[in-house]
Amino acid sequence: MTANKATVLVVEDEHAQREILLYNLKAEGFFVLSAADGDEALLHLEENTPDLILLDWMLPKVSGIEICRRVKKSKALQTIPVIMLSARCEEFDRVRGLETGADDYVVKPYSVVELMARVRGLLRRTRASVCSKQLTFEDIVLDSETYRVTRDGLEVKLGPTEFRLLSNFMEKPLRVWSREQLLDRIWGQNIYVDTRTVDVHIGRLRKALCKHGGNDPIRTVRSAGYSLG
Ligand code: CA
């Protein structure tokens, strides 16, 4: 698949909305897959690996939240960026949407022009992180081949868990991760580890990153989790 012919899966039960999205995505040069409900979306995902999913929250049968959760739990699908579309605009819903693993959250009614810009932006970001072995955030550089981390040019010594945590954060700066999500991604779902373990390792990571000075780059998001930046 060529770089500018990415495939976008549109999951939207409202016919007119779906048609508008499909029309605009095709006009942008994307391949499109279309699903009118959650079951249809899951069927597509069994057979295809789209490059991005536009996912309506309120769907018949299986909800958008549930689909997003399944995508982000699946080894084969979890790297696919998901933009959640929702008529719900409460802060709580936004946090819940992002906690499920959605990469972006857009409130209806949205501007199609703005949504297309977000689709392009998200695809650019995910492509860049797939192609490059080096991740950069502000003055922090992480090299996943040599397992080296530097901050402002100085070496940062990290244990393997802290390295994996930082690498996870740097793949998606600003994204908020709940402790449960970090447990799943860093320790794996089959191992029993208390969520407080996450706090301990975040503490070690912070200490290591700030050893030579500089601001604490990891933000604690109250009742939600942690994010880089
Ligand atoms: Ca809907």
Side-chain angles (χ1 to χ4, degrees):
M1 201 170 296
T2 61
N4 37 11
K5 267 277 188 184
T7 301
V8 178
L9 170 62
V10 175
V11 190
E12 168 64 79
D13 58 316
E14 285 156 64
H15 178 78
Q17 284 281 332
R18 193 170 63 243
E19 291 304 313
I20 289 172
L21 290 175
L22 294 174
Y23 173 85
N24 281 279
L25 288 164
K26 281 187 212 161
E28 294 265 342
F30 294 116
F31 285 118
V32 290
L33 296 167
S34 147
D37 61 48
D39 283 348
E40 217 182 309
L42 292 172
L43 279 177
H44 270 306
L45 290 170
E46 275 172 24
E47 290 171 9
N48 305 285
T49 309
D51 297 285
L52 185 138
I53 306 172
L54 283 178
L55 183 59
D56 185 26
W57 180 319
M58 304 296 275
L59 289 169
K61 299 178 188 169
V62 189
S63 78
I65 284 278
E66 180 55 28
I67 291 171
C68 186
R69 195 172 288 138
R70 290 196 204 174
V71 166
K72 295 300 175 180
K73 279 206 166 164
S74 151
K75 282 247 183 307
L77 303 175
Q78 62 189 194
T79 56
I80 303 174
V82 175
I83 301 181
M84 189 77 86
L85 308 172
S86 172
R88 316 172 66 152
C89 59
E90 298 288 318
E91 182 64 16
F92 170 75
D93 288 330
R94 202 181 68 84
V95 170
R96 206 176 135 219
L98 293 174
E99 265 201 324
T100 324
D103 298 83
D104 204 350
Y105 183 93
V106 174
V107 177
K108 290 180 179 179
Y110 46 77
S111 136
V112 174
V113 174
E114 196 201 316
L115 183 59
M116 291 302 129
R118 288 197 190 211
V119 167
R120 286 193 302 269
L122 205 47
L123 281 171
R124 246 194 325 270
R125 281 211 316 259
T126 42
R127 292 239 159 105
S129 70
V130 169
C131 299
S132 164
K133 302 268 186 278
Q134 268 201 359
L135 298 170
T136 305
F137 176 77
E138 292 175 356
D139 55 355
I140 305 168
V141 180
L142 178 145
D143 191 312
S144 55
E145 269 201 333
T146 59
Y147 279 84
R148 270 191 85 219
V149 176
T150 58
R151 184 166 191 195
D152 201 14
L154 296 168
E155 182 153 16
V156 176
K157 289 221 185 308
L158 296 177
T161 304
E162 287 73 41
F163 183 87
R164 285 206 300 276
L165 267 173
L166 182 62
S167 162
N168 186 69
F169 281 129
M170 288 185 70
E171 275 169 25
K172 289 181 180 172
L174 306 182
R175 145 101 199 247
V176 179
W177 300 89
S178 70
R179 289 173 177 80
E180 288 75 15
Q181 285 173 336
L182 291 172
L183 275 182
D184 277 0
R185 293 180 68 100
I186 313 300
W187 282 267
Q189 290 166 315
N190 303 324
I191 299 168
Y192 178 78
V193 187
D194 195 86
T195 50
R196 274 169 301 183
T197 308
V198 177
D199 301 334
V200 171
H201 286 276
I202 291 278
R204 284 187 199 158
L205 177 58
R206 278 182 161 140
K207 204 172 152 194
L209 287 173
C210 298
K211 200 179 170 204
H212 304 295
N215 296 338
D216 181 358
I218 296 169
R219 193 162 61 96
T220 304
V221 183
R222 243 186 100 209
S223 72
Y226 297 103
S227 77
L228 180 65

